Amino acid sequence: MKFQFTLNGKPVALDCEAADTLAEVLRNQLNLNGTKVSCEVQVCGACTVLVGGAPVSACTYLTYEARGKSVTTIEGLEKPDGTLHPLQQAFIDEFAFQCGYCTPGMIMSAKALLDEIPRPTRDQIIHHMDGNICRCTGYVPIVAAIERAAKVMAEESKT
Ligand code: FES
Ligand code: FES
């Protein structure tokens, strides 16, 4: 199947099989390996990317479903000058990862939350992130990182 979508702000022309998942195409065809694949059955959230601003599990999302839409992956978050997105920086500052395998999916899911609710409560963060599983860090620093990023982004929006 041939079609186009926008990937991290740039138009991309694709030729892939109808059954190819978005994770397969991102990682194997487009060499964007930031999106991780773990359970492959839409349970762990490691593969979360944004399609049209909404979080999806790229391990089960068929690539052709994204035709004509805007796809954002973890590679699309940093600024052109290399400055990390506040969520990326906050995960570092709060020590919110160990192996890091879940982290890209965590950050993309958190971005969807902050895009919709810029200053979420702790309960809203916990509720929103319940589809993202971390096997080694524990969730307290992850929630703290999202709270920190929300605060930073709120400050940045005032300037
Ligand atoms: S790898 Fe997609 S949800 Fe687990
Ligand atoms: S940091 Fe290892 S799975 Fe989350």
Side-chain angles (χ1 to χ4, degrees), residues 42-127:
Q42 206 174 337
V43 169
C44 74
C47 62
T48 304
V49 301
L50 306 184
V51 177
V56 304
S57 296
C59 68
T60 54
Y61 190 96
L62 296 176
T63 308
Y64 80 85
E65 293 181 88
R67 63 193 182 282
K69 297 179 182 171
S70 174
V71 176
T72 307
T73 70
I74 190 73
E75 290 90 348
L77 292 197
E78 71 178 29
K79 292 180 181 170
D81 68 0
T83 304
L84 294 179
H85 187 280
L87 274 164
Q88 294 172 305
Q89 189 61 53
F91 269 65
I92 294 170
D93 294 339
E94 293 289 344
F95 304 100
F97 56 86
Q98 287 189 45
C99 78
Y101 205 81
C102 70
T103 309
M106 287 278 181
I107 289 175
M108 297 313 295
S109 188
K111 182 175 187 308
L113 171 64
L114 298 188
D115 286 346
E116 187 176 344
I117 307 174
R119 292 305 299 268
T121 64
R122 184 163 293 189
D123 283 349
Q124 285 175 315
I125 293 171
I126 292 169
H127 177 71

Side-chain angles (χ1 to χ4, degrees), residues 126-149:
I126 292 169
H127 177 71
H128 179 85
M129 298 300 292
D130 70 359
N132 290 78
I133 295 170
C134 178
R135 293 167 180 77
C136 54
T137 299
Y139 297 98
V140 171
I142 291 169
V143 172
I146 296 168
E147 290 178 323
R148 178 191 280 248

